[in-house]
Amino acid sequence: TICGRTKIKDNSFIGAKAVIIEKLSIAENTIIGAGSVVLKSVNQPHKKLVGIPVKVLWFIFQQVVLNQKNALM
């Protein structure tokens, strides 16, 4: 459910039945987990958020860097 004038930036994904309160902003490259509730704007990009209310599960950019390091080893 997305209410009001919510801004969702490029390459962001919203899970099924997630709730985003009106007049918030979701930064680019953000993943909102299914069933999560977003009560505040997400201003920093590259995050995966889950829960009620949402909390940062991990930073996506850090995971990509770790995967690249493991591939080189």
Side-chain angles (χ1 to χ4, degrees), residues 8-71:
I8 301 173
K9 305 234 175 141
D10 293 335
N11 204 30
S12 293
F13 299 93
I14 311 298
K17 297 193 178 187
V19 176
I20 301 174
I21 305 303
E22 65 180 300
K23 298 181 183 176
L24 297 183
S25 172
I26 306 297
E28 59 275 348
N29 300 319
T30 299
I31 299 172
I32 307 293
S36 297
V37 177
V38 181
L39 300 175
K40 297 180 183 176
S41 289
V42 179
N43 297 320
Q44 294 178 334
H46 311 293
K47 289 185 177 181
K48 182 171 184 180
L49 303 137
V50 295
I52 302 172
V54 294
K55 294 180 183 169
V56 177
L57 183 60
W58 72 68
F59 290 93
I60 297 168
F61 181 74
Q62 290 174 345
Q63 186 66 33
V64 170
V65 170
L66 289 174
N67 288 342
Q68 288 175 350
K69 284 182 181 178
N70 290 337

